Amino acid sequence: MGSTLTAIGLPVALGIIMFGLGLSLTPGDFARVAKHPKAVIIALGCQLVLLPALCFGLVLLFQLPPILAVGMLLLAASPGGSTANLYSHLFRGDVALNISLTAINSIIAIFTLPLITNLAITFFLPGDDGLGIQFAKAVEVFAIVLGPVVLGMLVRWWKPRFADAMDTPVRIASMLILAIVIAGAVIANLDLLISNIAGLAGIVVLFCVLSLTLGFFVPRLFRVERRQAVASSFEIGIHNATLAIVIAQTVIGSVEMSLPAAVYGVLMFFIALAFGFIIRERKGAREPATATAAM
């Protein structure tokens, strides 16, 4: 994961992914927040407050080594990934809300991600001045996250038809590049990954399941409609693992810190898929009961 392929390929892949996100965004996606303020506020509260607190508790419970503990908090602080939109579409969530949440989360993460990561480093690695996200590195995070998104939005504003036509090719290209880079990273650091995956799999799976669960049931608890709760669930439960890996390796300079995000990035797809089927079956099980009661 520390190879030249990773050092160059990962930021490029992330840049293409974020550019693709920008191609799908318009200013109206930000204005849409005003139409569903409760759903947005609850989702952001889960993302920014509950998840870091939950992750911190899990890290202490599993007694992870300090560098991996920081990596987990870095993952928890990362915004939702664009994959959340796909899962939300598959399981009939409010995809428009997903797009708005991803856009807002990506901007807020510019400030919250360095803050949470630095607090985690201070707690788990006190006195280690070599790690952390200082001002210059925070600017780097800003450029990595927001620059390609803004560029994509400008392209959409200037050439909307071109943006629509390029949406699918850009998604395919970003996934292919990301797959190649991750495969190369795994091969280059296979021993390191194998030696840590057993200790990380349990906490990563539990964190993903709890993230998805909180994202769905907390909004429902506050009477947010089901489609919006589905959108919130995948937005909160599917983190941008690529961003976490890039920041750990290229901004902070720690391969080991990126391991939680690397393990999560593989397992998350299967967990989210299973969760989607569970909540879909749950809805199907309730509908006959409702129909019977009406009779």
Side-chain angles (χ1 to χ4, degrees):
M1 294 180 189
S3 63
T4 304
L5 173 66
T6 305
I8 297 174
L10 270 176
V12 169
L14 178 62
I16 295 174
I17 291 170
M18 300 309 287
F19 176 73
L21 172 62
L23 286 178
S24 67
L25 290 178
T26 66
D29 294 316
F30 295 90
R32 191 186 297 117
V33 171
K35 297 181 180 179
H36 306 291
K38 183 166 75 169
V40 171
I41 291 171
I42 292 171
L44 290 178
C46 291
Q47 177 82 44
L48 302 175
V49 180
L50 290 184
L51 278 195
L54 170 68
C55 186
F56 181 74
L58 289 176
V59 162
L60 295 180
L61 178 65
F62 279 79
Q63 298 181 334
L64 287 187
I67 195 73
L68 296 180
V70 175
M72 280 298 303
L73 267 299
L74 170 59
L75 174 64
S78 299
S82 56
T83 310
N85 302 347
L86 172 61
Y87 277 85
S88 186
H89 173 71
L90 288 174
F91 295 102
R92 299 185 179 182
D94 187 340
V95 180
L97 178 61
N98 273 107
I99 294 172
S100 298
L101 285 172
T102 301
I104 295 169
N105 262 331
S106 296
I107 294 175
I108 294 176
I110 294 166
F111 308 99
T112 57
L113 192 150
L115 174 64
I116 292 172
T117 303
N118 284 342
L119 287 174
I121 290 172
T122 300
F123 183 87
F124 291 105
L125 297 164
D128 195 335
D129 298 328
L131 296 176
I133 304 178
Q134 288 76 38
F135 177 76
K137 291 183 177 180
V139 173
E140 191 175 340
V141 173
F142 180 87
I144 289 172
V145 174
L146 203 57
V149 174
V150 172
L151 181 60
M153 291 184 69
L154 288 174
V155 170
R156 182 168 190 82
W157 170 76
W158 184 44
K159 296 283 187 180
R161 290 185 179 178
F162 175 77
D164 289 335
M166 289 300 295
D167 183 58
T168 299
V170 167
R171 287 175 186 268
I172 294 172
S174 63
M175 291 300 105
L176 286 175
I177 294 172
L178 185 59
I180 292 170
V181 171
I182 290 177
V186 168
I187 293 171
N189 298 271
L190 192 58
D191 292 340
L192 182 61
L193 192 60
I194 290 174
S195 63
N196 286 278
I197 193 168
L200 283 171
I203 186 173
V204 164
V205 169
L206 186 56
F207 175 66
C208 187
V209 170
L210 291 176
S211 298
L212 290 162
T213 303
L214 280 175
F216 181 77
F217 285 103
V218 171
R220 292 296 283 163
L221 185 65
F222 286 91
R223 301 186 182 280
V224 170
E225 81 167 74
R226 192 179 190 283
R227 289 182 67 246
Q228 294 175 350
V230 172
S232 170
S233 175
F234 289 118
E235 189 66 33
I236 291 166
I238 300 178
H239 294 271
N240 193 335
T242 310
L243 175 62
I245 294 171
V246 169
I247 291 175
Q249 293 190 20
T250 65
V251 177
I252 298 177
S254 172
V255 173
E256 198 171 0
M257 192 183 290
S258 70
L259 290 176
V263 175
Y264 171 90
V266 174
L267 299 178
M268 165 267 296
F269 292 102
F270 306 101
I271 299 168
L273 189 64
F275 185 83
F277 281 114
I278 289 171
I279 59 175
R280 191 173 73 173
E281 290 300 321
R282 183 175 179 271
K283 179 187 178 186
R286 290 180 63 182
E287 285 176 345
T290 304
T292 302
M295 293 174 64

